[in-house]
PDB file of all heavy atoms in Angstrom:
ATOM      1  N   PRO A   1     131.065  97.101 105.737  1.00  0.00           N
ATOM      2  CA  PRO A   1     130.937  96.979 104.327  1.00  0.00           C
ATOM      3  C   PRO A   1     131.976  96.013 103.784  1.00  0.00           C
ATOM      4  O   PRO A   1     133.077  95.899 104.299  1.00  0.00           O
ATOM      5  CB  PRO A   1     131.181  98.410 103.826  1.00  0.00           C
ATOM      6  CG  PRO A   1     131.950  99.066 104.898  1.00  0.00           C
ATOM      7  CD  PRO A   1     131.568  98.369 106.196  1.00  0.00           C
ATOM      8  N   ASP A   2     131.593  95.343 102.682  1.00  0.00           N
ATOM      9  CA  ASP A   2     132.554  94.385 102.083  1.00  0.00           C
ATOM     10  C   ASP A   2     133.134  94.846 100.731  1.00  0.00           C
ATOM     11  O   ASP A   2     133.942  94.135 100.177  1.00  0.00           O
ATOM     12  CB  ASP A   2     131.853  93.044 101.932  1.00  0.00           C
ATOM     13  CG  ASP A   2     130.603  93.064 101.107  1.00  0.00           C
ATOM     14  OD1 ASP A   2     130.237  94.163 100.637  1.00  0.00           O
ATOM     15  OD2 ASP A   2     129.984  92.016 100.967  1.00  0.00           O
ATOM     16  N   ALA A   3     132.652  96.009 100.220  1.00  0.00           N
ATOM     17  CA  ALA A   3     133.197  96.454  98.957  1.00  0.00           C
ATOM     18  C   ALA A   3     133.235  98.014  98.973  1.00  0.00           C
ATOM     19  O   ALA A   3     132.483  98.659  99.630  1.00  0.00           O
ATOM     20  CB  ALA A   3     132.301  95.975  97.814  1.00  0.00           C
ATOM     21  N   PRO A   4     134.125  98.588  98.131  1.00  0.00           N
ATOM     22  CA  PRO A   4     134.142 100.044  98.016  1.00  0.00           C
ATOM     23  C   PRO A   4     132.862 100.604  97.345  1.00  0.00           C
ATOM     24  O   PRO A   4     132.193  99.821  96.659  1.00  0.00           O
ATOM     25  CB  PRO A   4     135.366 100.304  97.105  1.00  0.00           C
ATOM     26  CG  PRO A   4     135.878  99.030  96.667  1.00  0.00           C
ATOM     27  CD  PRO A   4     135.134  97.909  97.325  1.00  0.00           C
ATOM     28  N   GLY A   5     132.568 101.837  97.567  1.00  0.00           N
ATOM     29  CA  GLY A   5     131.423 102.468  96.997  1.00  0.00           C
ATOM     30  C   GLY A   5     130.756 103.402  98.000  1.00  0.00           C
ATOM     31  O   GLY A   5     131.356 103.850  98.955  1.00  0.00           O
ATOM     32  N   LEU A   6     129.493 103.661  97.767  1.00  0.00           N
ATOM     33  CA  LEU A   6     128.696 104.514  98.655  1.00  0.00           C
ATOM     34  C   LEU A   6     127.563 103.741  99.294  1.00  0.00           C
ATOM     35  O   LEU A   6     126.890 102.892  98.667  1.00  0.00           O
ATOM     36  CB  LEU A   6     128.113 105.662  97.816  1.00  0.00           C
ATOM     37  CG  LEU A   6     129.102 106.562  97.127  1.00  0.00           C
ATOM     38  CD1 LEU A   6     128.364 107.634  96.315  1.00  0.00           C
ATOM     39  CD2 LEU A   6     130.028 107.212  98.116  1.00  0.00           C
ATOM     40  N   ILE A   7     127.354 103.991 100.572  1.00  0.00           N
ATOM     41  CA  ILE A   7     126.238 103.391 101.304  1.00  0.00           C
ATOM     42  C   ILE A   7     125.374 104.543 101.845  1.00  0.00           C
ATOM     43  O   ILE A   7     125.936 105.474 102.500  1.00  0.00           O
ATOM     44  CB  ILE A   7     126.715 102.494 102.481  1.00  0.00           C
ATOM     45  CG1 ILE A   7     127.548 101.345 101.911  1.00  0.00           C
ATOM     46  CG2 ILE A   7     125.553 102.038 103.287  1.00  0.00           C
ATOM     47  CD1 ILE A   7     128.204 100.445 102.952  1.00  0.00           C
ATOM     48  N   ASP A   8     124.107 104.516 101.533  1.00  0.00           N
ATOM     49  CA  ASP A   8     123.217 105.595 101.961  1.00  0.00           C
ATOM     50  C   ASP A   8     122.393 105.105 103.211  1.00  0.00           C
ATOM     51  O   ASP A   8     121.879 103.948 103.186  1.00  0.00           O
ATOM     52  CB  ASP A   8     122.237 105.973 100.874  1.00  0.00           C
ATOM     53  CG  ASP A   8     122.904 106.613  99.693  1.00  0.00           C
ATOM     54  OD1 ASP A   8     123.866 107.404  99.941  1.00  0.00           O
ATOM     55  OD2 ASP A   8     122.564 106.330  98.560  1.00  0.00           O
ATOM     56  N   ILE A   9     122.276 105.954 104.158  1.00  0.00           N
ATOM     57  CA  ILE A   9     121.411 105.746 105.312  1.00  0.00           C
ATOM     58  C   ILE A   9     120.314 106.788 105.284  1.00  0.00           C
ATOM     59  O   ILE A   9     120.580 107.970 105.300  1.00  0.00           O
ATOM     60  CB  ILE A   9     122.194 105.869 106.626  1.00  0.00           C
ATOM     61  CG1 ILE A   9     123.337 104.831 106.650  1.00  0.00           C
ATOM     62  CG2 ILE A   9     121.286 105.673 107.844  1.00  0.00           C
ATOM     63  CD1 ILE A   9     124.313 104.994 107.778  1.00  0.00           C
ATOM     64  N   ARG A  10     119.063 106.311 105.157  1.00  0.00           N
ATOM     65  CA  ARG A  10     117.935 107.272 105.105  1.00  0.00           C
ATOM     66  C   ARG A  10     117.056 107.160 106.373  1.00  0.00           C
ATOM     67  O   ARG A  10     116.730 106.062 106.787  1.00  0.00           O
ATOM     68  CB  ARG A  10     117.054 106.928 103.891  1.00  0.00           C
ATOM     69  CG  ARG A  10     115.829 107.876 103.702  1.00  0.00           C
ATOM     70  CD  ARG A  10     115.137 107.681 102.404  1.00  0.00           C
ATOM     71  NE  ARG A  10     114.560 106.365 102.298  1.00  0.00           N
ATOM     72  CZ  ARG A  10     114.036 105.885 101.199  1.00  0.00           C
ATOM     73  NH1 ARG A  10     113.993 106.606 100.058  1.00  0.00           N
ATOM     74  NH2 ARG A  10     113.518 104.657 101.131  1.00  0.00           N
ATOM     75  N   VAL A  11     116.862 108.315 106.985  1.00  0.00           N
ATOM     76  CA  VAL A  11     116.146 108.385 108.284  1.00  0.00           C
ATOM     77  C   VAL A  11     114.838 109.183 108.012  1.00  0.00           C
ATOM     78  O   VAL A  11     114.884 110.317 107.469  1.00  0.00           O
ATOM     79  CB  VAL A  11     116.988 109.060 109.348  1.00  0.00           C
ATOM     80  CG1 VAL A  11     116.155 109.188 110.634  1.00  0.00           C
ATOM     81  CG2 VAL A  11     118.304 108.330 109.545  1.00  0.00           C
ATOM     82  N   THR A  12     113.738 108.606 108.429  1.00  0.00           N
ATOM     83  CA  THR A  12     112.435 109.322 108.396  1.00  0.00           C
ATOM     84  C   THR A  12     111.990 109.430 109.816  1.00  0.00           C
ATOM     85  O   THR A  12     111.773 108.468 110.531  1.00  0.00           O
ATOM     86  CB  THR A  12     111.424 108.537 107.562  1.00  0.00           C
ATOM     87  OG1 THR A  12     111.917 108.259 106.288  1.00  0.00           O
ATOM     88  CG2 THR A  12     110.091 109.294 107.522  1.00  0.00           C
ATOM     89  N   ALA A  13     111.868 110.739 110.270  1.00  0.00           N
ATOM     90  CA  ALA A  13     111.465 110.988 111.681  1.00  0.00           C
ATOM     91  C   ALA A  13     110.094 111.709 111.682  1.00  0.00           C
ATOM     92  O   ALA A  13     109.871 112.616 110.907  1.00  0.00           O
ATOM     93  CB  ALA A  13     112.496 111.884 112.364  1.00  0.00           C
ATOM     94  N   THR A  14     109.199 111.197 112.518  1.00  0.00           N
ATOM     95  CA  THR A  14     107.874 111.787 112.651  1.00  0.00           C
ATOM     96  C   THR A  14     107.644 112.193 114.106  1.00  0.00           C
ATOM     97  O   THR A  14     107.860 111.372 114.981  1.00  0.00           O
ATOM     98  CB  THR A  14     106.774 110.801 112.202  1.00  0.00           C
ATOM     99  OG1 THR A  14     107.106 110.348 110.874  1.00  0.00           O
ATOM    100  CG2 THR A  14     105.399 111.447 112.171  1.00  0.00           C
ATOM    101  N   ASP A  15     107.175 113.405 114.310  1.00  0.00           N
ATOM    102  CA  ASP A  15     106.982 113.873 115.700  1.00  0.00           C
ATOM    103  C   ASP A  15     105.498 113.549 116.132  1.00  0.00           C
ATOM    104  O   ASP A  15     104.663 113.063 115.334  1.00  0.00           O
ATOM    105  CB  ASP A  15     107.346 115.299 115.927  1.00  0.00           C
ATOM    106  CG  ASP A  15     106.430 116.292 115.213  1.00  0.00           C
ATOM    107  OD1 ASP A  15     105.367 115.914 114.717  1.00  0.00           O
ATOM    108  OD2 ASP A  15     106.801 117.464 115.187  1.00  0.00           O
ATOM    109  N   ARG A  16     105.184 113.862 117.362  1.00  0.00           N
ATOM    110  CA  ARG A  16     103.842 113.554 117.911  1.00  0.00           C
ATOM    111  C   ARG A  16     102.732 114.435 117.297  1.00  0.00           C
ATOM    112  O   ARG A  16     101.576 114.086 117.414  1.00  0.00           O
ATOM    113  CB  ARG A  16     103.827 113.754 119.423  1.00  0.00           C
ATOM    114  CG  ARG A  16     104.663 112.682 120.126  1.00  0.00           C
ATOM    115  CD  ARG A  16     104.604 112.841 121.627  1.00  0.00           C
ATOM    116  NE  ARG A  16     105.424 111.860 122.226  1.00  0.00           N
ATOM    117  CZ  ARG A  16     106.254 112.105 123.262  1.00  0.00           C
ATOM    118  NH1 ARG A  16     106.203 113.349 123.854  1.00  0.00           N
ATOM    119  NH2 ARG A  16     106.975 111.179 123.770  1.00  0.00           N
ATOM    120  N   ASP A  17     103.121 115.541 116.653  1.00  0.00           N
ATOM    121  CA  ASP A  17     102.173 116.383 116.018  1.00  0.00           C
ATOM    122  C   ASP A  17     101.936 115.969 114.502  1.00  0.00           C
ATOM    123  O   ASP A  17     101.099 116.588 113.834  1.00  0.00           O
ATOM    124  CB  ASP A  17     102.612 117.861 116.002  1.00  0.00           C
ATOM    125  CG  ASP A  17     102.550 118.504 117.407  1.00  0.00           C
ATOM    126  OD1 ASP A  17     101.717 118.039 118.226  1.00  0.00           O
ATOM    127  OD2 ASP A  17     103.384 119.342 117.677  1.00  0.00           O
ATOM    128  N   GLY A  18     102.649 114.955 114.034  1.00  0.00           N
ATOM    129  CA  GLY A  18     102.482 114.429 112.700  1.00  0.00           C
ATOM    130  C   GLY A  18     103.412 115.052 111.698  1.00  0.00           C
ATOM    131  O   GLY A  18     103.397 114.747 110.535  1.00  0.00           O
ATOM    132  N   PHE A  19     104.346 116.005 112.115  1.00  0.00           N
ATOM    133  CA  PHE A  19     105.290 116.549 111.212  1.00  0.00           C
ATOM    134  C   PHE A  19     106.411 115.535 110.940  1.00  0.00           C
ATOM    135  O   PHE A  19     106.802 114.842 111.888  1.00  0.00           O
ATOM    136  CB  PHE A  19     105.909 117.802 111.789  1.00  0.00           C
ATOM    137  CG  PHE A  19     104.934 118.936 111.894  1.00  0.00           C
ATOM    138  CD1 PHE A  19     104.440 119.358 113.133  1.00  0.00           C
ATOM    139  CD2 PHE A  19     104.489 119.609 110.791  1.00  0.00           C
ATOM    140  CE1 PHE A  19     103.524 120.361 113.252  1.00  0.00           C
ATOM    141  CE2 PHE A  19     103.591 120.692 110.849  1.00  0.00           C
ATOM    142  CZ  PHE A  19     103.087 121.083 112.095  1.00  0.00           C
ATOM    143  N   ALA A  20     106.866 115.447 109.703  1.00  0.00           N
ATOM    144  CA  ALA A  20     107.881 114.484 109.370  1.00  0.00           C
ATOM    145  C   ALA A  20     109.011 115.117 108.636  1.00  0.00           C
ATOM    146  O   ALA A  20     108.874 116.167 107.999  1.00  0.00           O
ATOM    147  CB  ALA A  20     107.268 113.366 108.533  1.00  0.00           C
ATOM    148  N   ALA A  21     110.208 114.498 108.746  1.00  0.00           N
ATOM    149  CA  ALA A  21     111.416 114.921 108.018  1.00  0.00           C
ATOM    150  C   ALA A  21     112.144 113.708 107.539  1.00  0.00           C
ATOM    151  O   ALA A  21     112.082 112.655 108.196  1.00  0.00           O
ATOM    152  CB  ALA A  21     112.271 115.738 108.943  1.00  0.00           C
ATOM    153  N   VAL A  22     112.833 113.842 106.402  1.00  0.00           N
ATOM    154  CA  VAL A  22     113.612 112.768 105.869  1.00  0.00           C
ATOM    155  C   VAL A  22     115.008 113.316 105.618  1.00  0.00           C
ATOM    156  O   VAL A  22     115.216 114.408 105.103  1.00  0.00           O
ATOM    157  CB  VAL A  22     113.052 112.245 104.524  1.00  0.00           C
ATOM    158  CG1 VAL A  22     113.909 111.129 103.973  1.00  0.00           C
ATOM    159  CG2 VAL A  22     111.652 111.729 104.734  1.00  0.00           C
ATOM    160  N   ASP A  23     116.070 112.547 105.988  1.00  0.00           N
ATOM    161  CA  ASP A  23     117.437 112.951 105.779  1.00  0.00           C
ATOM    162  C   ASP A  23     118.202 111.711 105.293  1.00  0.00           C
ATOM    163  O   ASP A  23     117.985 110.584 105.789  1.00  0.00           O
ATOM    164  CB  ASP A  23     118.031 113.478 107.047  1.00  0.00           C
ATOM    165  CG  ASP A  23     119.447 113.974 106.813  1.00  0.00           C
ATOM    166  OD1 ASP A  23     119.687 114.780 105.908  1.00  0.00           O
ATOM    167  OD2 ASP A  23     120.373 113.581 107.622  1.00  0.00           O
ATOM    168  N   THR A  24     119.068 111.899 104.287  1.00  0.00           N
ATOM    169  CA  THR A  24     119.896 110.803 103.815  1.00  0.00           C
ATOM    170  C   THR A  24     121.332 111.144 104.027  1.00  0.00           C
ATOM    171  O   THR A  24     121.841 112.244 103.682  1.00  0.00           O
ATOM    172  CB  THR A  24     119.627 110.565 102.250  1.00  0.00           C
ATOM    173  OG1 THR A  24     118.225 110.304 102.045  1.00  0.00           O
ATOM    174  CG2 THR A  24     120.470 109.432 101.777  1.00  0.00           C
ATOM    175  N   HIS A  25     122.042 110.244 104.642  1.00  0.00           N
ATOM    176  CA  HIS A  25     123.491 110.400 104.995  1.00  0.00           C
ATOM    177  C   HIS A  25     124.263 109.384 104.128  1.00  0.00           C
ATOM    178  O   HIS A  25     123.897 108.176 104.109  1.00  0.00           O
ATOM    179  CB  HIS A  25     123.716 110.162 106.476  1.00  0.00           C
ATOM    180  CG  HIS A  25     125.143 110.287 106.914  1.00  0.00           C
ATOM    181  ND1 HIS A  25     125.712 111.490 107.168  1.00  0.00           N
ATOM    182  CD2 HIS A  25     126.070 109.350 107.062  1.00  0.00           C
ATOM    183  CE1 HIS A  25     126.993 111.282 107.538  1.00  0.00           C
ATOM    184  NE2 HIS A  25     127.211 110.005 107.503  1.00  0.00           N
ATOM    185  N   THR A  26     125.283 109.836 103.445  1.00  0.00           N
ATOM    186  CA  THR A  26     126.110 108.948 102.604  1.00  0.00           C
ATOM    187  C   THR A  26     127.412 108.573 103.312  1.00  0.00           C
ATOM    188  O   THR A  26     128.121 109.447 103.729  1.00  0.00           O
ATOM    189  CB  THR A  26     126.367 109.564 101.259  1.00  0.00           C
ATOM    190  OG1 THR A  26     125.128 109.865 100.583  1.00  0.00           O
ATOM    191  CG2 THR A  26     127.180 108.692 100.363  1.00  0.00           C
ATOM    192  N   VAL A  27     127.654 107.300 103.381  1.00  0.00           N
ATOM    193  CA  VAL A  27     128.920 106.781 103.901  1.00  0.00           C
ATOM    194  C   VAL A  27     129.825 106.336 102.764  1.00  0.00           C
ATOM    195  O   VAL A  27     129.367 105.596 101.879  1.00  0.00           O
ATOM    196  CB  VAL A  27     128.707 105.590 104.865  1.00  0.00           C
ATOM    197  CG1 VAL A  27     129.991 105.031 105.458  1.00  0.00           C
ATOM    198  CG2 VAL A  27     127.688 105.939 105.952  1.00  0.00           C
ATOM    199  N   ARG A  28     131.005 106.908 102.753  1.00  0.00           N
ATOM    200  CA  ARG A  28     131.936 106.571 101.650  1.00  0.00           C
ATOM    201  C   ARG A  28     132.877 105.427 102.029  1.00  0.00           C
ATOM    202  O   ARG A  28     133.478 105.498 103.124  1.00  0.00           O
ATOM    203  CB  ARG A  28     132.812 107.784 101.300  1.00  0.00           C
ATOM    204  CG  ARG A  28     131.921 108.907 100.727  1.00  0.00           C
ATOM    205  CD  ARG A  28     132.667 110.174 100.440  1.00  0.00           C
ATOM    206  NE  ARG A  28     131.782 111.133  99.837  1.00  0.00           N
ATOM    207  CZ  ARG A  28     132.002 112.393  99.763  1.00  0.00           C
ATOM    208  NH1 ARG A  28     133.129 112.892 100.234  1.00  0.00           N
ATOM    209  NH2 ARG A  28     131.158 113.191  99.177  1.00  0.00           N
ATOM    210  N   ILE A  29     132.937 104.433 101.176  1.00  0.00           N
ATOM    211  CA  ILE A  29     133.879 103.342 101.405  1.00  0.00           C
ATOM    212  C   ILE A  29     134.909 103.354 100.293  1.00  0.00           C
ATOM    213  O   ILE A  29     134.609 103.194  99.119  1.00  0.00           O
ATOM    214  CB  ILE A  29     133.105 101.970 101.372  1.00  0.00           C
ATOM    215  CG1 ILE A  29     131.891 101.980 102.238  1.00  0.00           C
ATOM    216  CG2 ILE A  29     134.057 100.805 101.740  1.00  0.00           C
ATOM    217  CD1 ILE A  29     132.104 102.361 103.663  1.00  0.00           C
TER     218      ILE A  29
END
């Protein structure tokens, strides 16, 4: 990162049965 603030990482995972989940992780700078 080049500046202070928050960076969000959003992950969308889908399994072979079609079930999905979304998770957001925040990185603090």
Side-chain angles (χ1 to χ4, degrees):
D2 56 1
L6 301 177
I7 297 175
D8 294 321
I9 300 171
R10 181 170 64 187
V11 178
T12 304
T14 306
D15 69 10
R16 291 184 185 138
D17 291 331
F19 294 106
V22 178
D23 184 50
T24 302
H25 179 83
T26 301
V27 180
R28 295 177 176 162
I29 311 303

